[in-house]
């Protein structure tokens, strides 16, 4: 039987660094310091340096990093947060959890990112924060988006969960957030996230919020939460960060190879598949193609033991939990079309030439 091809191969990632990881975990176990502490500080400093941002605050997940960022900016009841209609749920979920209202903007079909031309019309007097997402690892159009935010007096929080390593990612907004969920480009062995900021006061607020709003033990200035990062996760991430640049380079190479294979196969010319060309820096968290016959293609891949993914099958405004916001089918045509047509193919730094050929030739058949 032909070997299966996974969407992401964590076994291939682990094999060459297994000893280093186990050593780091052992050191952490023996230190008996399991939450925050030296490993977390070291990781925060390393990420801040890597991304060229002054302050980095480790968190319990990417979701919690986003949540505490909005909390630090005082988002609450009556506020609106403008964001993309097409992202992972957390981008909008954190807004609702604070009693604020997510206001959605359709995407630019060529990048899957928020369409800058549609942002202004979504901004009302209640809008407080703008949350662009660098979907699939490609930067949103930050120059234009930053200008729009400035013009309307909105603060920007970047959801950079899928884009660590992209040029400037995490440093465009007042706060930028990363996720270290196991499937992300830089991944923990459990949950982890981070909020970055150039602003010292915001950094201080974030540190306080992640620790139940206390700067001094048992003295709570504000109501925060337990959004702290585990030391073991930071220890793992400190090892993996050394490989991130190599992994990003490899992801870009695999993407270029996919592009070539698709062109050679005639699939793009035939109009049956569309291979979106990146227009801004891209770290290929996902390699996403689109097709009107997406579901048939996906079934065929599955039959050949090739995994694929749909990110995301339902646009955010059409999620059942947001039905009270009153959006309906047809309100976000490009997000809805993306939800019907996108297909994420296996993408990881260790992907082989054989695997890529098999994937594209299966689709060609
Ligand atoms: C993964 C992800 C998150 C949430 O991160 P977690 O660490 O899973 O909580 C938020 N936004 C986007 C776009 C993501 O991809």
């Amino acid at each position: 039987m032909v070997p299966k091809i996974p969407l992401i191969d964590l076994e291939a990632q682990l094999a060459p660094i297994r000893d280093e990881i186990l050593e780091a975990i052992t050191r952490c176990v023996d230190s008996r310091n399991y939450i925050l502490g030296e490993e977390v500080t070291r990781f925060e400093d390393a990420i801040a340096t890597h991304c060229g941002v002054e302050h980095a605050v480790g968190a319990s997940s990417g979701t919690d990093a986003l949540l505490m960022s909005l909390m630090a900016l005082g988002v609450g009841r009556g506020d609106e947060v403008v964001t993309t209609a097409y992202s992972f749920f957390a981008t909008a979920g954190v807004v609702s959890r604070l009693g604020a209202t997510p206001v959605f903007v359709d995407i630019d079909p060529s990048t899957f990112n928020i369409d800058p031309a549609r942002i202004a019309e979504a901004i009302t007097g209640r809008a407080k924060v703008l949350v662009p997402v660098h979907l699939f690892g490609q930067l949103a159009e930050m120059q234009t988006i930053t200008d729009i935010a400035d013009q309307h007096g909105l603060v920007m929080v970047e959801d950079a969960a899928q884009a660590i390593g992209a040029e400037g990612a995490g440093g465009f907004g007042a706060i930028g957030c990363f996720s270290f969920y196991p499937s992300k480009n830089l991944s923990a062995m459990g949950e982890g996230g981070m909020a970055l900021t150039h602003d010292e006061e915001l950094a201080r607020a974030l540190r306080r919020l992640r620790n139940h709003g206390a700067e001094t033990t048992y003295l709570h200035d504000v109501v925060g939460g337990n959004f702290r990062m585990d030391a073991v996760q930071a220890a793992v991430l400190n090892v993996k960060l050394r490989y991130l640049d190599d992994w990003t380079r490899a992801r870009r190479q695999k993407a270029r190879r996919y592009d070539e294979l698709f062109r050679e196969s005639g699939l793009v010319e035939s109009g049956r598949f569309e291979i979106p060309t990146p227009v801004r820096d891209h770290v290929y968290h996902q390699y996403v193609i689109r097709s009107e016959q997406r579901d048939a293609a996906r079934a065929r891949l599955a039959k050949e033991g090739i995994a694929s993914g749909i990110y995301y099958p339902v646009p955010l405004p059409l999620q059942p939990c947001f039905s009270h916001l009153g959006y309906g089918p047809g309100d976000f045509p490009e997000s809805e079309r993306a939800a019907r047509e996108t297909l994420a193919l296996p993408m990881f730094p260790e992907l082989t030439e054989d695997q890529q050929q098999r994937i594209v030739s299966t689709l060609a058949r």
Side-chain angles (χ1 to χ4, degrees), residues 246-298:
D246 289 341
W247 289 338
T248 301
R249 250 189 305 279
R251 283 175 183 274
R252 287 176 173 143
Q253 277 163 9
K254 311 298 165 187
R256 292 292 75 78
R257 187 62 188 138
Y258 265 134
D259 292 348
E260 280 170 16
L261 288 169
F262 271 106
R263 257 183 260 115
E264 289 165 11
S265 72
L267 278 171
V268 181
E269 253 177 43
S270 73
R272 284 183 296 162
F273 287 90
E274 197 183 316
I275 314 299
T277 312
V279 291
R280 274 172 289 279
D281 200 27
H282 202 324
V283 293
Y284 292 95
H285 173 58
Q286 303 288 356
Y287 183 85
V288 173
I289 62 173
R290 58 196 309 166
S291 171
E292 285 174 21
Q293 291 111 50
R294 189 264 314 269
D295 293 337
R298 184 158 201 247

Side-chain angles (χ1 to χ4, degrees), residues 60-64 66 87-91 133-135 159-162 178-181 183-184 191-193 285 312:
S60 34
S61 69
T63 303
D64 288 341
L66 284 168
S87 178
F88 176 60
F89 179 73
T91 309
V133 180
H134 308 304
L135 204 70
D159 182 343
Q162 302 186 358
F178 290 133
S179 162
F180 306 114
Y181 184 79
S183 66
K184 298 283 157 72
E191 307 278 0
H285 173 58
Y312 297 88

Side-chain angles (χ1 to χ4, degrees), residues 8-182:
I8 172 180
D9 190 346
L10 288 179
E11 201 179 309
Q13 184 192 80
L14 182 60
I17 59 172
R18 189 188 169 84
D19 289 347
E20 276 184 281
I21 296 269
L22 289 179
E23 211 173 284
I25 292 175
T26 302
R27 197 174 59 235
C28 197
V29 168
D30 289 339
S31 79
R32 280 165 283 109
N33 187 345
Y34 302 133
I35 294 161
L36 298 179
E38 213 175 294
E39 285 287 355
V40 172
T41 304
R42 202 149 64 82
F43 181 56
E44 289 173 337
D45 292 346
I47 288 287
T49 303
H50 192 269
C51 299
V53 179
E54 198 100 354
H55 310 276
V57 182
S60 34
S61 69
T63 303
D64 288 341
L66 284 168
L67 183 66
M68 69 187 197
S69 297
L70 296 183
M71 288 170 83
L73 297 169
V75 170
R77 212 157 287 285
D79 293 329
E80 291 180 349
V81 173
V82 179
T83 190
T84 173
Y86 194 59
S87 178
F88 176 60
F89 179 73
T91 309
V94 293
V95 176
S96 288
R97 284 172 65 186
L98 294 174
T101 306
V103 174
F104 297 106
V105 176
D106 207 1
I107 55 167
D108 173 344
S110 66
T111 62
F112 303 110
N113 281 325
I114 191 168
D115 185 349
R118 296 168 192 267
I119 295 176
E121 67 199 46
I123 297 174
T124 73
R126 290 165 176 248
K128 193 166 194 170
V129 177
L130 178 58
V131 183
V133 180
H134 308 304
L135 204 70
F136 305 143
Q138 180 174 198
L139 292 180
E141 204 178 318
M142 295 314 295
Q143 187 64 61
T144 314
I145 294 172
T146 304
D147 289 347
I148 295 169
D150 289 348
Q151 275 161 26
H152 292 83
L154 302 188
V155 185
M156 200 158 65
V157 172
E158 241 183 297
D159 182 343
Q162 302 186 358
I164 193 163
E167 189 64 45
F172 290 107
I175 307 175
C177 297
F178 290 133
S179 162
F180 306 114
Y181 184 79

